[in-house]
Amino acid sequence: MEESDVTSSVKALLIGGSAGSLQVLFNLLPSLHHDLPFAMIVVLHRRHSADSALSELLATKSVLPTHEVEDKDVIRPGHIYLAPADYHLLVEKDETFSLDYSEKVNFSRPSIDVTFESAAEVYGSSLAALLLSGANEDGTKGLMYVKKMGGITLVQDPETAQMPYMPHYAMLHAVIDQVLNIRQMSHYINNLR
Amino acid sequence: MIEDEEVEILLTDLVDIYGYDFTSYSRASLKRRIIRLVSIDKFPSFAEFRYKVRTDENYLKRFVEEITVNVTEMFRDPSFYKSLREDILPVLGTKPFIRVWHAGCSTGEEVFSMAILLKEAGLLRKSLLYATDLNPSVLDKVRKGIFPLQQMKHYSESYIESGGLKDFSEYYTANYGQAKFDRELSEKIIISTHNLVSDSSFNEFDLILCRNVLIYFDKDLQDRVLKLFDASLGTLGYLALGTKETLKFSVIQNKYKQLNREKIWKKVM
Ligand SMILES: C[S@@+](CC[C@H](N)C(=O)[O-])C[C@H]1O[C@@H](n2cnc3c(N)ncnc32)[C@H](O)[C@@H]1O
């Protein structure tokens, strides 16, 4: 059904980031249009306690309604969802979220791989995933799976990343469709359909 | 790779053969756990995995242990425990007797944290803590009251953040890398298997804690379990959920009032 519906083929954009990625979001979010036709799902590694302030902070940077996910929240286009600290964030077939308090993956909870893989299962080719700055390997497996399921894979240009390791590692191991600096990201996302 | 249909087949097997009903669990997490188990136990195919689960009761035990997520901590979310100390225990303290139910208690870290709070409020003597889980192996650990010593530094920090004033190490004896918690605490803990999917209400409680368990259930099962809690709570009793769980949009929401920013509700009807 999605194939014929060319105008809204991407249903979700995933963004994963670790060290150095917050600054990217602070620059990126204000430049995004208010009527994006897909959901944005953001998974950031963060320190355990510096908690709910983050979603409020991100909300001030964007005209799009921004939420820290609670269990079973419904995923709606044009909204930004942030993975809560200390839970893995999963996507269910009925396009709701569920949370999982299981072991850390890549020393991380939330893990970017976990959310990317789970979203790829549900959205298949109607998915784009962007990996930002970071100092570990989380996200690469997730991008590989997104690609395998027919989605679009994007990374921040390591040259522009505060911590180039994470996007660079992804470029070495996964097939990446686009390598973008912040300005290009904003253009790309605003035109993504 | 495991197909969705294979997951369904396996879940049907478990109901048919063992009476374990996981069919209303959130699929994304369940499937991830199954894939993980097939991989760490190195099954060459799903068919072989299924055969093992169907025919080997010992392996079934492992399956249940690994499929359910048992990760837990003492004084997890210190502000939650602080609110129990400051807002809930003073109210419960006015009762002649206090019954607390930890549903899905895992290895018991949360139960021992609660026992410490009750002790510090001078209420432990008139309290009973019911610790239940569907998984018998985690309950063995509750019974022993022994946790890894290396965790104690972190737990002690959370304890202090929750408003604890003592030296946390007063509560346990360290031995061979293990911390054994005081008998005085464990004496007040009643341990039993209880499956929230299939077992019914078994007592009336003043406070029920069910944290980070409902996230594994789909919406319908969540509602069923919340009704079970409602039936097990006395008037003006309290229900506490995990930090990302909610009564909002549930069948019982109109009978409950959330106290503050913490996920604690009071039964008002
Ligand atoms: C992540 S632990 C939560 C432990 C603790 N309450 C906490 O928040 O730290 C989830 C627990 O729920 C238990 N559980 C899962 N399904 C259950 C069911 N149907 N009935 C009772 N317990 C269940 C699991 O065995 C596991 O010990």
Side-chain angles (χ1 to χ4, degrees):
Chain A
M1 339 159 262
E2 266 93 50
E3 283 94 329
S4 58
D5 194 1
V6 260
T7 52
S8 65
S9 66
V10 168
K11 291 176 113 181
L13 167 67
L14 309 174
I15 300 181
S18 189
S21 64
L22 211 49
Q23 203 51 53
V24 180
L25 288 175
F26 288 169
N27 288 319
L28 176 67
L29 292 179
S31 71
L32 297 183
H33 295 162
H34 70 280
D35 55 353
L36 295 179
F38 46 82
M40 285 174 58
I41 303 171
V42 181
V43 182
L44 299 178
H45 295 161
R46 46 174 161 158
R47 280 226 338 278
H48 185 176
S49 44
D51 187 13
S52 56
L54 182 59
S55 62
E56 283 153 32
L57 192 59
L58 289 180
T60 65
K61 302 286 176 192
S62 172
V63 289
L64 298 161
T66 304
H67 324 263
E68 180 163 287
V69 174
E70 289 212 326
D71 183 46
K72 303 293 178 286
D73 276 350
V74 177
I75 303 172
R76 283 176 297 179
H79 288 241
I80 300 178
Y81 299 94
L82 176 69
D86 220 17
Y87 290 87
H88 294 304
L89 179 65
L90 302 166
V91 177
E92 298 287 339
K93 286 261 138 62
D94 62 358
E95 296 179 29
T96 60
F97 287 112
S98 62
L99 299 172
D100 182 353
Y101 187 50
S102 58
E103 302 78 4
K104 292 183 179 181
V105 174
N106 306 315
F107 312 101
S108 310
R109 191 173 51 216
S111 145
I112 301 168
D113 279 344
V114 169
T115 303
F116 280 20
E117 287 173 0
S118 151
E121 284 263 307
V122 172
Y123 290 115
S125 61
S126 316
L127 183 68
L130 166 65
L131 192 65
L132 304 177
S133 167
N136 69 22
E137 295 172 9
D138 199 14
T140 291
K141 272 202 192 135
L143 284 176
M144 289 162 76
Y145 199 65
V146 168
K147 185 87 242 171
K148 187 176 161 202
M149 302 304 277
I152 302 167
T153 51
L154 313 163
V155 298
Q156 178 178 8
D157 183 349
E159 302 257 318
T160 71
Q162 227 179 72
M163 296 286 171
Y165 186 82
M166 200 158 85
H168 186 242
Y169 189 83
M171 287 169 72
L172 287 178
H173 294 89
V175 178
I176 303 299
D177 294 314
Q178 303 266 353
V179 179
L180 307 165
N181 65 31
I182 297 177
R183 205 179 38 77
Q184 292 165 327
M185 270 176 217
S186 141
H187 183 77
Y188 189 93
I189 295 171
N190 281 327
N191 291 292
L192 188 63
R193 289 295 178 265
Chain B
M1 240 351 273
I2 288 175
E3 300 301 324
D4 292 347
E5 298 72 46
E6 294 174 320
V7 173
E8 302 309 317
I9 291 169
L10 189 69
L11 297 185
T12 314
D13 283 351
L14 289 164
V15 178
D16 291 349
I17 303 172
Y18 302 107
Y20 270 118
D21 185 358
F22 293 107
T23 55
S24 303
Y25 279 48
S26 298
R27 278 302 182 280
S29 167
L30 200 58
K31 189 169 172 194
R32 214 186 127 237
R33 301 300 290 176
I34 291 172
I35 290 171
R36 173 180 167 275
L37 186 59
V38 170
S39 147
I40 54 182
D41 287 351
K42 303 199 169 61
F43 284 98
S45 71
F46 174 79
E48 272 156 282
F49 176 65
R50 179 182 176 205
Y51 180 78
K52 187 82 173 165
V53 173
R54 287 177 62 101
T55 54
D56 182 343
E57 212 158 325
N58 282 322
Y59 191 75
L60 172 81
K61 203 166 149 259
R62 173 166 171 79
F63 176 88
V64 173
E65 276 164 35
E66 292 298 323
I67 282 324
T68 55
V69 172
N70 302 318
V71 178
T72 182
E73 274 179 34
M74 290 188 86
F75 293 97
R76 177 173 189 208
D77 314 313
S79 62
F80 166 77
Y81 284 94
K82 200 174 168 79
S83 177
L84 286 181
R85 272 185 206 277
E86 292 173 356
D87 308 320
I88 311 298
L89 294 192
V91 181
L92 295 186
T94 62
K95 305 197 170 202
F97 194 75
I98 303 169
R99 281 196 190 86
V100 181
W101 178 16
H102 294 264
C105 65
S106 187
T107 41
E109 281 81 342
E110 184 187 88
V111 192
F112 278 87
S113 308
M114 188 72 204
I116 289 173
L117 292 192
L118 287 164
K119 178 163 160 56
E120 295 189 352
L123 301 173
L124 187 60
R125 243 174 311 133
K126 63 170 175 177
S127 303
L128 276 180
L129 297 99
Y130 291 73
T132 68
D133 202 284
L134 97 162
N135 178 356
S137 342
V138 291
L139 293 175
D140 287 338
K141 300 206 173 149
V142 188
R143 210 165 278 121
K144 295 203 176 86
I146 297 175
F147 305 115
L149 192 59
Q150 78 204 41
Q151 303 284 356
M152 291 304 139
K153 185 172 169 291
H154 173 52
Y155 292 171
S156 157
E157 287 162 6
S158 302
Y159 161 79
I160 290 164
E161 232 185 292
S162 81
L165 299 173
K166 295 215 173 168
D167 181 348
F168 190 61
S169 63
E170 281 178 29
Y171 288 112
Y172 60 83
T173 330
N175 216 338
Y176 299 107
Q178 308 272 33
K180 178 161 178 50
F181 278 73
D182 285 353
R183 271 199 65 135
E184 192 192 351
L185 304 174
S186 42
E187 263 172 15
K188 291 295 183 174
I189 301 173
I190 295 173
I191 296 160
S192 167
T193 54
H194 181 279
N195 188 338
L196 291 166
V197 176
S198 46
D199 293 333
S200 48
S201 176
F202 59 94
N203 211 328
E204 190 172 292
F205 297 94
D206 305 295
L207 168 61
I208 298 177
L209 297 94
C210 183
R211 309 186 70 217
N212 304 307
V213 181
L214 295 180
I215 47 176
Y216 298 103
F217 298 169
D218 70 17
K219 202 88 189 79
D220 290 341
L221 179 56
Q222 287 185 350
D223 273 338
R224 255 161 59 206
V225 172
L226 288 172
K227 279 194 217 151
L228 167 68
F229 292 153
D230 184 48
S232 312
L233 263 184
T235 34
L236 303 182
Y238 296 97
L239 176 59
L241 304 181
T243 44
K244 297 299 159 197
E245 293 162 336
T246 184
L247 286 191
K248 231 189 327 180
F249 313 120
S250 77
V251 277
I252 64 166
Q253 65 167 336
N254 293 331
K255 302 171 76 176
Y256 287 77
K257 202 167 161 272
Q258 192 170 358
L259 285 191
N260 48 28
R261 277 185 69 118
E262 301 303 326
K263 294 304 180 71
I264 307 174
W265 284 263
K266 189 179 187 122
K267 183 172 178 174
V268 290
M269 273 163 65

